[in-house]
Amino acid sequence: QLENKKILILERHFQVGGFTHTFQRKRKYEWDVGLHYVGQLGEDGDLKKAFDFLTRGQLKWAEMPDVFDKFVYPDFTFEVRKGRNNFRNDLIKTFPHEEKAIRQYFYDLDRVNTWFKINETKKNVPDFIRPLFNLLPDEKDFALQTVAEYMNKSFEDERLKAILVSQWGDYGIPPAKAAFAIHCILVSHYFKGAFYPVGGSGQIAETMLPIIQEKGGHILLNHRVDEILIESGKAVGVRAEYLRAGEEEEPIKEFRAPLIISGAGAYITYERLLKNYEDNPYREGLRSFDTKNQTTAHISMYLGLKDSPAKLGFGGENHWIFSSLDHDASFAGRNSWIHKDGPLMCYLSFPSLKDPQAKAHTAELITFVDYEAFSKWQDTKWTKRGEDYKLLKEKIAEGMISFIEKHYPGFRDLIEYQELSTPLTTVSMTGHHRATIYGLAGTPDRFDNEKSPWCQARTPIKGLYLTGSEASAWGIAGAMLSGYVTATHLLQPWNMPKILSLLAHSPPIKEDGKDNPAEGIDNFNKIKKESTAPIVKEEKQLEGVS
């Protein structure tokens, strides 16, 4: 929007949006696949301003209930209310003997968030400026202790420790492995409540795409990038395979542009997309990191309901359900349960109760598992993996439903339709390494710039940049921050104050001329219906490939 650059987005999936796309069944049930709730979207929220800028105010958000998270344990439930003070005071009321430590905890959240902002700034400024950051207090050791280390040093009550880390599923690894920094970022993100996009998470792409197209940009679906092309030490384009090429079409295509932006993550970018680049400086380091810092995959169950879950007392909040206080033990058992009775923990949410435009009632169940638990079928194709795979999915589905039924009797009777996805589905749709949903594991090493120099927007290769969660932090908010950071490296310096001003005062929505998104939305709908149709015709005019 600022420099009229033409952008080509290559998407391997047959739907636009990545982990924000939605899908439907029976023409009435619709589920999101990656976005379940987002913070900082009140009228004064920074993320709200950013989305208003990027969508010209077309994307709307529905606020979730005042109690947006419930942490459910065998003998108690703790409710998280909107508001930092509410959260803190509810903890103190429940654990009055830990009041001093609880107040210190909220101070420490701010302390680490400040460190994170400084650390992110440090790795993105020019090299000659970085020494100035040495004048600031060094908080790295405090921020990069594990969550478990902090909890065990700060609190005595095991129930309180368990409650405070109950959202670890939002960053994918348990307290003993996770950096305290990612925990602080996540918890603080929801202090002002939680929100869900009106119309579902697919509206994010639907409202952004027309603006991309308006500037001459394009998106190609079913195009899997297999290699970033390097010539004379500079990124000059990509080689991609058109996954739905007919007999008379050429499946392998090259797209050239002066700027290449990878949103595939650091591991895939340096390990796979630069596989033929001999001077790759990060390949061995990333392999070592991946071996040492194991990340995780997930199983999702999508349910279509006969009636409103409100009849069982649900109000649109998320439920984090655990079989014990020991989160690390639950994580350790993430693979063995699939051959037994049911999961040790499960996340339950209701898209239809969060979205005022939902046509029918839905629910989602999520739990964690390793990709290796399904590697037996890794060479099979989506929807064609064999009878033994189908039987295992049925066993897993029954175990997950039974787990919820134990906590909420009558839940099973609401189910009309069910569908289960495994890590193999994630790989088929996204190509993510080991089916991870969060990228590189959020361990202390991940946030140490010296140990993980690949986690930043800049790369050692001229013309190549990263964006996405591994260039900054997790989730929608992290990806948004990452996009801003990447933009600061790409745009002319004088545009940075303009970006900040636009985010602070989102532009009005215009209804005429170029600023009218109606035509672009029609094109978006056409893309969704005719996902194999090539859109880009004049490849030489492209100014960026993402």
Side-chain angles (χ1 to χ4, degrees), residues 268-401:
I268 292 177
T269 300
Y270 290 108
E271 174 69 12
R272 298 182 190 173
L273 303 185
L274 293 171
K275 56 191 174 186
N276 295 322
Y277 181 53
E278 295 181 357
D279 296 327
N280 187 332
Y282 295 149
R283 182 179 289 121
E284 294 304 320
L286 272 164
R287 289 175 180 173
S288 176
F289 180 96
D290 182 61
T291 301
K292 177 183 175 183
N293 301 278
Q294 189 177 28
T295 187
T296 187
H298 75 302
I299 292 173
S300 284
M301 191 169 188
Y302 304 98
L303 303 173
L305 307 180
K306 303 173 186 176
D307 207 342
S308 172
K311 289 193 172 183
L312 295 181
F314 298 109
E317 70 285 342
N318 306 306
H319 293 247
W320 298 89
I321 309 171
F322 304 98
S323 58
S324 77
L325 299 177
D326 192 338
H327 295 283
D328 292 294
S330 295
F331 185 77
R334 64 194 179 280
N335 296 320
S336 59
W337 75 266
I338 63 176
H339 300 289
K340 298 180 181 178
D341 296 330
L344 300 176
M345 63 84 64
C346 194
Y347 170 86
L348 167 65
S349 72
F350 300 93
S352 59
L353 293 182
K354 293 183 280 191
D355 179 10
Q357 293 185 358
K359 298 177 181 178
H361 286 290
T362 54
E364 291 185 39
L365 309 180
I366 300 174
T367 192
F368 292 106
V369 70
D370 286 341
Y371 172 76
E372 284 72 17
F374 296 87
S375 59
K376 173 182 176 181
W377 298 277
Q378 64 184 359
D379 295 325
T380 61
K381 293 184 178 180
W382 181 51
T383 72
K384 299 177 181 179
R385 304 195 191 278
E387 188 64 22
D388 53 347
Y389 177 76
K390 178 182 177 181
L391 291 174
L392 178 58
K393 286 178 63 174
E394 290 175 355
K395 181 177 179 61
I396 292 171
E398 174 57 30
M400 293 177 73
I401 293 172

